[in-house]
């Protein structure tokens, strides 16, 4: 039997294709050319429209190459007001989404695991409802409110929700639209840690449930919370349908309004905001990588 061992090993070695490094279990590794093909196709899909938009903004009919469109961004009418409004709506939406979603996800994961499918269906339901139907329902309620609530204290509430300076109704609508993305991020973050063991250890040491949530669970979910916050902010900064149909001038609506008279400036603003979003995404990815390496 001992004399057969070199022959068997020689046969196994000769079956491996030349130039292919053997993987685990003795199987040759498959070529990874398809990964490069997918990466190239994705780069073309994302970069070609961006490059075309940039060329449109810097190509002047009489001057040739010009960056005047980017110089006019910050001096354009209502640019600062619409951007600050969208940022304020985004921050308010992030706070409200985290306050609603994070305790619910933790409570279901620790106390009622059987309700997890129910919570998942509720949080992902906005993906099924068309945005135009969602906005039509909101506008119907807003029109119905002043007529039937004029003699009640809720009349002023309906009016305050539609304040153009800070439309709270948009925050409530954005919270519903951001629930699927926030839930997925937070649920994935909870799945990456042993939240039950951490919470039981903290409880055995005498910590209260608010202390467990604030000092034990949340510090271990900073990356997931940052992902949920970034996705929510990106949704608010890019959402157009709800604000447009409810007649509020947010940042996307401002870009649409000036596109007719200042086409190059509107495209320059779009390119600028897209680059800022990519930089935020890179910063978030770097922060998450540093947190994982530090842990």
């Amino acid at each position: 039997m001992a004399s057969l061992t070199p022959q068997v090993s020689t046969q196994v070695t000769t079956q491996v294709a030349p130039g292919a490094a053997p993987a685990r279990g003795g199987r040759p590794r498959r070529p990874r050319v398809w990964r490069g093909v997918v990466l190239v196709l994705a780069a073309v899909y994302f970069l070609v429209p961006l490059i075309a938009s940039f060329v449109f903004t810097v190509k002047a009919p009489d001057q040739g190459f010009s960056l005047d469109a980017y110089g006019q961004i910050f001096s354009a009418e209502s640019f600062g007001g619409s951007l600050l409004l969208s940022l304020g709506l985004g921050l308010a939406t992030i706070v409200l989404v985290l306050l609603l979603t994070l305790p619910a996800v933790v409570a279901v994961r620790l106390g009622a695991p059987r309700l997890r499918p129910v919570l998942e269906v509720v949080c992902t339901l906005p993906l099924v409802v068309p945005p135009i139907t969602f906005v039509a329902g909101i506008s119907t309620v807003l029109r119905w409110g002043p007529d039937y609530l004029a003699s009640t204290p809720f009349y002023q509430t309906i009016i305050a929700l539609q304040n153009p300076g800070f439309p709270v109704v948009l925050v409530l609508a954005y919270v519903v639209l951001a629930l699927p993305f926030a839930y997925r991020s937070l649920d994935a973050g909870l799945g990456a840690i042993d939240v039950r063991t951490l919470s039981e250890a903290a409880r055995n040491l005498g910590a209260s449930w608010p202390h467990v949530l604030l000092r034990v669970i949340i510090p271990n979910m900073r990356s997931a919370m940052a992902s949920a916050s970034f996705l929510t902010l990106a949704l608010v900064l890019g959402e157009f349908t709800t604000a447009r149909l409810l007649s509020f001038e947010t940042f996307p609506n401002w870009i649409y309004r000036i596109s007719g008279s200042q086409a190059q400036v509107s495209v320059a603003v779009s390119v600028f905001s897209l680059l800022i979003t990519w930089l935020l995404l890179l910063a978030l990815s770097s922060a998450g990588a540093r947190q994982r390496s530090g842990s």
Side-chain angles (χ1 to χ4, degrees), residues 93-110 119 123 179 182-191 193 195 210 212-226 228-229:
T93 305
I94 290 172
V95 173
L96 193 54
V97 164
L98 292 180
L99 288 178
L100 290 176
T101 311
L102 183 59
V105 174
V106 174
V108 169
R109 183 66 69 96
L110 294 178
L119 180 62
C123 291
L179 275 180
Y183 171 77
R184 289 298 184 186
S185 299
L186 296 178
D187 186 68
L190 277 179
I193 61 176
V195 62
V212 171
L213 182 63
L214 296 176
R215 302 295 299 273
V216 178
I217 296 178
I218 289 182
N220 288 280
M221 291 189 61
R222 286 178 294 181
S223 179
M225 294 175 62
S229 301

Side-chain angles (χ1 to χ4, degrees), residues 191-216:
I193 61 176
D194 192 356
V195 62
R196 185 175 296 276
T197 301
L198 291 175
S199 59
E200 289 179 355
R203 292 288 292 170
N204 291 335
L205 293 175
S208 61
W209 279 114
H211 185 86
V212 171
L213 182 63
L214 296 176
R215 302 295 299 273
V216 178

Side-chain angles (χ1 to χ4, degrees), residues 82-283:
S82 61
L83 180 59
L84 290 177
L85 176 60
S86 292
L87 291 176
L89 294 174
L91 293 177
T93 305
I94 290 172
V95 173
L96 193 54
V97 164
L98 292 180
L99 288 178
L100 290 176
T101 311
L102 183 59
V105 174
V106 174
V108 169
R109 183 66 69 96
L110 294 178
R114 294 183 179 180
L115 294 180
R116 184 181 176 186
V118 178
L119 180 62
E120 183 175 0
V121 170
V122 172
C123 291
T124 56
L125 191 61
L127 295 177
V128 182
V129 180
I132 188 66
T133 306
F134 179 64
V135 179
I138 295 177
S139 60
T140 301
V141 173
L142 294 179
R143 288 195 303 267
W144 171 84
D147 296 335
Y148 293 91
L149 300 177
S151 59
T152 65
F154 295 101
Y155 176 77
Q156 295 298 330
T157 303
I158 294 294
I159 300 301
L161 290 176
Q162 306 176 64
N163 183 10
F166 191 82
V168 182
V169 63
L170 285 183
V171 176
L172 301 178
Y174 292 157
V175 167
V176 176
L177 296 177
L179 275 180
F181 310 102
Y183 171 77
R184 289 298 184 186
S185 299
L186 296 178
D187 186 68
L190 277 179
I193 61 176
D194 192 356
V195 62
R196 185 175 296 276
T197 301
L198 291 175
S199 59
E200 289 179 355
R203 292 288 292 170
N204 291 335
L205 293 175
S208 61
W209 279 114
H211 185 86
V212 171
L213 182 63
L214 296 176
R215 302 295 299 273
V216 178
I217 296 178
I218 289 182
N220 288 280
M221 291 189 61
R222 286 178 294 181
S223 179
M225 294 175 62
S227 300
S229 301
F230 174 79
L231 292 175
T232 302
L233 182 61
L235 183 143
V236 173
L237 292 179
E239 203 284 326
F240 174 78
T241 306
T242 304
R244 178 65 179 175
L245 294 180
L246 295 179
S247 302
F248 295 112
E249 190 175 52
T250 56
F251 189 58
N253 284 332
W254 176 80
I255 296 177
Y256 172 78
R257 181 174 62 84
I258 69 169
S259 60
S261 57
Q262 298 174 289
Q264 282 189 319
V265 176
S266 65
V267 177
V269 172
S270 301
V271 174
F272 179 76
S273 61
L274 184 60
L275 292 177
I276 295 297
T277 303
W278 281 5
L279 291 177
L280 289 176
L281 181 59
L282 291 177

